[in-house]
Amino acid sequence: MEKYCIVEKKLCENHAGAKAREDVANILLAEKWKPLIVHHSEEKGVLDKLKMACLTYMDWTYVYRHVLPEAELIVQYPLAMYPKVSMIAVPFLRKLKKRKVKLIFLIHDLESLRGGNIERERLFLDEADVVIAHNPKMISYLKNMGYSHKKLISLGIFDYLLNKRGESTAQVVNWKTVAIAGNLKKEKAGYVYLLNKLVGDVKFMLYGPNYEGAKKDKNVEYKGQYPPEELPEKLECGFGLVWDGMSLEECTGPMGQYLQYNNPHKTSLYLASGIPVIVWEKAAMAELISQKGVGIVVNSLDEISSKVGEMKQEEYLKLKENAEVLGKQLRVGAMLKAAISLL
């Protein structure tokens, strides 16, 4: 049986965009899935959308002509394209199904969980034979949405490929420090600008774009912005925090509530770097983090000062040891390899 995967390339730069998508493609290619290139653009304007509509039609015509009957095809969903333009792919997916091609959708985001277009999501997912979802919580959601008749596979956690595959990269200077990596814009991560209200000796180190606060505060320090491949070597903290929203008390807003269903890629970043994580107790990732002993769960950020500040060194070293074991698996793509073995 022939195996194909959609590989998305930026039109202007001829390389993949987000690291999560790029890693998925690289793992599949290493597993001998044949690539089929489709292009996307991040430019703005009506003319670019019209241009990309034409190119998208050509790309998917190529896909349809080259995928053999009864083959398997993996599609990363949603497509990295203007949402309305991405709809051009749907008729081609339907025609592939008529040729008995097994369609496997690997979920990066679900629009219906983030206030997006549910109808567009259904048009795509209705064509899937198999859906690789983030975790059991997302699988339960998909079943409730009417997809229980499809084969649903849990990824568990995203891989995070690194050039240094055999060893962790983070060098922990002070394990009673917490890294926060990601978009630090106030509208998205407002809680970051409240961290100076927390009591205790735990320090927070910030990594990422759009930081609008002081470079140094009593318990906060901004460390700069780095590319995904370099960031693991820059992390010098004992823990990595996965949080979202405007509050210290709980994860709030659409993105904060989304944590109850998704696998944030920054969780994989921390673990691939060999450092344990701190997650919200209601997050979908909390169960895996607790089961594998690779971090701690908290109800609010106020709990960090006690759970980390009062933690004994041997307790931390055990968490770090477990994080390094799981991190080594993430650095070589073990999670996706396990998921596709179930197809």
Side-chain angles (χ1 to χ4, degrees), residues 11-209:
L11 180 63
C12 57
E13 300 177 26
N14 200 33
H15 64 73
K19 179 168 173 56
R21 291 175 179 272
E22 185 177 1
D23 283 352
V24 166
N26 286 333
I27 293 165
L28 293 174
L29 296 182
E31 293 295 297
K32 309 303 182 185
W33 289 70
K34 297 179 179 180
L36 295 167
I37 307 298
V38 301
H39 297 86
H40 67 99
S41 172
E42 295 178 356
E43 299 296 324
K44 295 181 179 180
V46 175
L47 288 179
D48 190 68
K49 291 180 180 180
L50 290 173
K51 177 181 69 176
M52 292 313 302
C54 295
L55 183 55
T56 299
Y57 183 88
M58 293 169 60
D59 285 340
W60 281 92
T61 299
Y62 177 88
V63 170
Y64 174 70
R65 290 175 177 173
H66 283 76
V67 174
L68 296 176
E70 301 185 1
E72 294 181 338
L73 175 65
I74 291 183
V75 180
Q76 299 191 56
Y77 179 83
L79 295 173
M81 173 47 65
Y82 304 114
K84 290 183 179 180
V85 174
S86 71
M87 297 299 297
I88 292 172
V90 173
F92 291 98
L93 294 170
R94 289 172 179 165
K95 289 195 290 185
L96 287 169
K97 282 182 67 71
K98 290 180 180 179
R99 290 165 53 179
K100 298 184 179 180
V101 173
K102 180 191 285 188
L103 297 179
I104 302 119
F105 279 56
L106 188 148
I107 303 296
H108 285 284
D109 285 302
L110 284 178
E111 295 177 87
S112 57
L113 283 171
R114 306 199 327 180
N117 190 305
I118 298 177
E119 290 74 20
R120 180 166 53 235
E121 179 177 283
R122 284 195 176 279
L123 285 172
F124 274 96
L125 295 187
D126 282 349
E127 303 306 320
D129 298 294
V130 182
V131 177
I132 301 176
H134 289 198
N135 51 59
K137 292 283 184 68
M138 187 174 282
I139 285 179
S140 294
Y141 172 80
L142 288 169
K143 288 181 177 179
N144 290 335
M145 292 292 286
Y147 296 113
S148 57
H149 62 289
K150 299 183 183 295
K151 185 170 184 178
L152 303 173
I153 298 172
S154 174
L155 182 64
I157 184 172
F158 277 99
D159 297 295
Y160 198 100
L161 302 186
L162 290 174
N163 292 329
K164 295 183 178 181
R165 296 187 174 189
E167 57 185 27
S168 60
T169 54
Q171 303 299 317
V172 177
V173 176
N174 175 9
W175 59 270
K176 293 188 178 182
T177 54
V178 177
I180 299 175
N183 187 344
L184 302 173
K185 194 172 184 178
K186 281 186 177 181
E187 289 80 358
K188 182 181 186 300
Y191 76 91
V192 166
Y193 301 89
L194 303 175
L195 292 172
N196 56 10
K197 295 183 178 181
L198 296 176
V199 298
D201 298 327
V202 175
K203 305 294 183 182
F204 296 88
M205 305 296 183
L206 312 182
Y207 301 82

Side-chain angles (χ1 to χ4, degrees), residues 168 271 274 319-329 331:
S168 60
L271 292 171
L319 293 176
K320 180 166 175 55
E321 179 184 346
N322 294 340
E324 288 177 343
V325 170
L326 179 55
K328 185 174 183 178
Q329 296 175 336
R331 295 195 294 273

